[in-house]
Amino acid sequence: LRLIFTGKCKEKYIIEGTDKYLKILRKYGNVEIFEVKSKYSGSVSNAIEKEAADILKLLRKNSVKIFLHLKGKEFSTESFSDYFGKLLF
């Protein structure tokens, strides 16, 4: 499993929650963490384009890709686990 994050999280509760889930995930297999630095330099669209280029470099060609976004579909922990499990098996 390869997780790619954009920007550095500064919210303690998010960091603690992420660490908790990573600990659980690592019981089931290898987990790689990558952080793409924020590229904001005046233009949001320019920053997104630069960050996207960095993310694309980290993606494996034949891998399943799941993108998480604030405005995306919401899952409970259980339903996301089911969805993710179906993709893997």
Side-chain angles (χ1 to χ4, degrees):
L1 178 63
R2 181 176 278 204
L3 300 173
I4 304 168
F5 296 92
T6 55
K8 184 85 172 163
C9 182
K10 296 175 185 164
E11 303 291 337
K12 186 178 180 181
Y13 73 96
I14 294 174
I15 294 168
E16 289 172 352
T18 302
D19 289 344
K20 177 183 172 184
Y21 278 107
L22 289 174
K23 186 176 180 180
I24 294 167
L25 286 172
R26 286 189 171 113
K27 291 179 183 178
Y28 299 99
N30 185 36
V31 179
E32 297 175 283
I33 307 294
F34 296 90
E35 241 178 48
V36 173
K37 290 185 180 182
S38 179
K39 303 287 184 175
Y40 187 74
S41 60
S43 164
V44 173
S45 61
N46 189 30
I48 290 171
E49 197 172 303
K50 289 179 180 179
E51 290 171 8
D54 288 347
I55 291 169
L56 288 172
K57 291 176 192 173
L58 294 169
L59 297 177
R60 292 185 180 137
K61 202 173 203 171
N62 296 320
S63 63
V64 174
K65 293 149 188 82
I66 301 172
F67 297 90
L68 304 181
H69 190 278
L70 290 172
K71 295 181 181 178
K73 182 177 180 179
E74 287 190 31
F75 287 95
S76 68
T77 300
E78 294 82 8
S79 61
F80 186 71
S81 176
D82 290 343
Y83 174 78
F84 191 66
K86 288 175 187 173
L87 289 173
L88 296 177
F89 304 109

